[in-house]
Amino acid sequence: ALQIFFLDSGGGTLPEAVDTSQVQWFRDQVARGSPELPAVAFQHIPTSGHVYKNNVCTGFRGQNSIEQIRDDGLVDAMVESGRFHFLGVGHIHGDDYCCPYENNNNSHNNK
């Protein structure tokens, strides 16, 4: 079994941000699952937790810059739960890399 989250990180007419109300909703949903149930998440636009770090990340970084959207604690909530093994994002078409975030992996994927 695996719990999968698909998250809206804004764009279009919505602000490109993950605000505190979204983080609280996410924490509530995660708390409903068993602590032993592994989880993964996918979102469209990367947050500030997706900063590319030289000598740490693996893969291809095709764009030199990325606009980091505000993250009011979403990535931290994932780490604190101890259940998340992966957070995948899209949006940046020229990137295809993976970076560790504490004990988890954050990945940029080509679309």
Side-chain angles (χ1 to χ4, degrees):
L2 175 71
Q3 190 170 23
I4 302 173
F5 288 84
F6 296 95
L7 307 167
D8 186 356
S9 51
T13 59
L14 299 172
E16 292 182 0
V18 177
D19 66 30
T20 53
S21 67
Q22 290 170 290
V23 174
Q24 186 57 54
W25 174 88
F26 178 76
R27 287 181 187 275
D28 293 344
Q29 297 307 307
V30 170
R32 291 181 178 185
S34 167
E36 293 83 30
L37 182 64
V40 298
F42 299 89
Q43 69 186 50
H44 178 219
I45 301 173
T47 66
S48 54
H50 285 85
V51 176
Y52 185 92
K53 299 171 188 156
N54 289 326
N55 301 321
V56 176
C57 300
T58 59
F60 178 73
R61 181 178 177 213
Q63 295 184 354
N64 291 329
S65 64
I66 178 174
E67 291 184 26
Q68 304 295 320
I69 65 168
R70 187 182 86 228
D71 176 354
D72 284 350
L74 180 67
V75 175
D76 290 334
M78 290 179 186
V79 173
E80 290 166 11
S81 76
R83 296 179 47 216
F84 283 83
H85 297 272
F86 176 86
L87 169 58
V89 300
H91 191 67
I92 308 301
H93 296 253
D95 289 347
D96 189 9
Y97 63 81
C98 188
C99 300
Y101 184 86
E102 297 190 13
N103 292 326
N104 296 20
N105 287 318
N106 288 337
S107 294
H108 275 71
N109 302 311
N110 279 333
K111 291 171 84 179

